[in-house]
Amino acid sequence: MKFHVLTLFPDMIQDGMNTSITGRAVENGLIEIHAVNIRDYTIEKHKKVDDYPYGGGAGMLMQAQPVYDAYKAVAGEKKLRVVYVTPQGRVFDQQMAGELAKEEELVLLCGHYEGIDERVLEEIVTDYVSIGDYVLTGGELPAMVMMDAISRLVPGVLNNDVSAEFESFQDDLLEYPQYSRPEIWNGKQVPPILLSGHHANVEKWRLEQSILRTKQRRPDLYEKWRMRHDKGGKSE
Ligand code: ADE
């Protein structure tokens, strides 16, 4: 999977992604992070990439030309999926991560200042995506959030492929509580069923815990799960 990130802060992207699990995936050639500095593509002699908005208003806008030329340098004649990370987009979730993980190449466009000239967005953007209903200072953190969530779905990125499947948000349920050694810590005992060695009972307990936890912490997800599993129309 190859990510092209169009940004004014390529170091932020490289530093963030070349760390930990995504860093190892880069080293192993499972993912590639190509951070493109939009400023390298401006034709303005002082390397300026922003200007005042027509009609007035606060702040500066990123201009169309450098963004378009940076995109063209990456895509050439290829028609790539281009995600503009913006609070005005559809809210990113696990399902979207799975959908985007199917692409071989993905372009992520990071805005700054008050946004980007609408004309270039109309020209190149295929998807408008937000990471949540709050406003950040730029698109780099959202782009990294999305790349992290997508990368871990690429086969081989996690040591253990099963763990990407069976955890929070799979099937709309949150993950069950987990415990490691010692058996008693701070006076608290590990639930005895986990020490029983009875695999089927452990699985049953974990599913019950997942359902309970989802109901308590994320009633919205629980409702989705319940609707899908509630064949007879009765509630849990
Ligand atoms: N840029 C600024 N805030 C953002 C958000 N919440 N999601 C995506 N891009 C953004």
Side-chain angles (χ1 to χ4, degrees):
M1 171 104 202
K2 185 166 185 176
F3 297 100
H4 305 276
V5 188
L6 310 183
T7 169
L8 290 174
F9 300 94
D11 292 348
M12 186 173 170
I13 299 291
Q14 294 293 5
D15 292 348
M17 295 304 292
N18 285 329
T19 306
S20 185
I21 292 175
T22 49
R24 194 185 61 208
V26 170
E27 273 173 29
N28 295 340
L30 295 167
I31 61 170
E32 202 177 316
I33 311 287
H34 177 211
V36 178
N37 192 343
I38 294 170
R39 198 176 296 280
D40 290 344
Y41 291 88
T42 180
I43 53 173
E44 206 278 334
K45 61 177 183 293
H46 299 107
K47 292 247 158 216
K48 211 165 67 80
V49 290
D50 60 331
D51 210 329
Y52 295 98
Y54 280 117
M60 304 288 268
L61 278 188
M62 282 168 69
Q63 292 167 286
Q65 177 274 318
V67 172
Y68 188 70
D69 288 1
Y71 163 75
K72 274 309 218 185
V74 160
E77 294 311 308
K78 279 183 286 188
K79 190 82 195 106
L80 297 179
R81 199 152 173 190
V82 180
V83 173
Y84 176 40
V85 291
T86 165
Q88 298 184 9
R90 196 173 126 209
V91 177
F92 188 68
D93 62 10
Q94 191 64 30
Q95 196 197 327
M96 210 190 295
E99 196 194 297
L100 293 172
K102 293 182 195 145
E103 302 289 331
E104 261 171 45
E105 282 184 68
L106 196 60
V107 180
L108 291 136
L109 171 60
C110 304
H112 254 272
Y113 314 116
E114 291 306 308
I116 303 182
D117 189 308
E118 192 68 21
R119 293 167 296 182
V120 68
L121 299 178
E122 286 169 8
E123 208 62 38
I124 68 173
V125 173
T126 59
D127 302 77
Y128 292 80
V129 184
S130 165
I131 60 160
D133 290 336
Y134 42 85
V135 182
L136 300 167
T137 55
E140 285 72 20
L141 287 171
M144 284 195 268
V145 165
M146 291 178 207
M147 287 191 286
D148 189 292
I150 295 166
S151 297
R152 60 190 288 295
L153 300 177
V154 172
V157 169
L158 297 183
N159 280 330
N160 154 13
D161 275 348
V162 199
S163 63
E165 267 174 53
F166 285 100
E167 65 206 327
S168 294
F169 296 116
Q170 197 62 31
D171 195 33
D172 290 328
L173 289 179
L174 301 183
E175 202 173 18
Y176 45 79
Q178 304 233 58
Y179 304 84
S180 184
R181 280 192 287 189
E183 251 179 70
I184 299 174
W185 177 82
N186 217 15
K188 287 168 177 261
Q189 163 87 52
V190 171
I193 194 156
L194 299 179
L195 311 173
S196 69
H198 194 300
H199 188 66
N201 284 351
V202 168
E203 288 309 305
K204 183 166 170 284
W205 180 85
R206 285 180 165 168
L207 178 61
E208 287 164 2
Q209 291 295 314
S210 280
I211 295 168
L212 194 65
R213 177 161 280 197
T214 309
K215 194 171 178 180
Q216 285 168 345
R217 297 188 183 178
R218 290 291 306 272
D220 55 328
L221 280 183
Y222 172 74
E223 213 34 49
K224 258 170 90 181
W225 176 84
R226 199 182 60 76
M227 298 283 273
R228 280 200 298 112
H229 288 77
D230 185 12
K231 297 192 188 76
K234 48 189 190 324
S235 61
E236 276 290 321

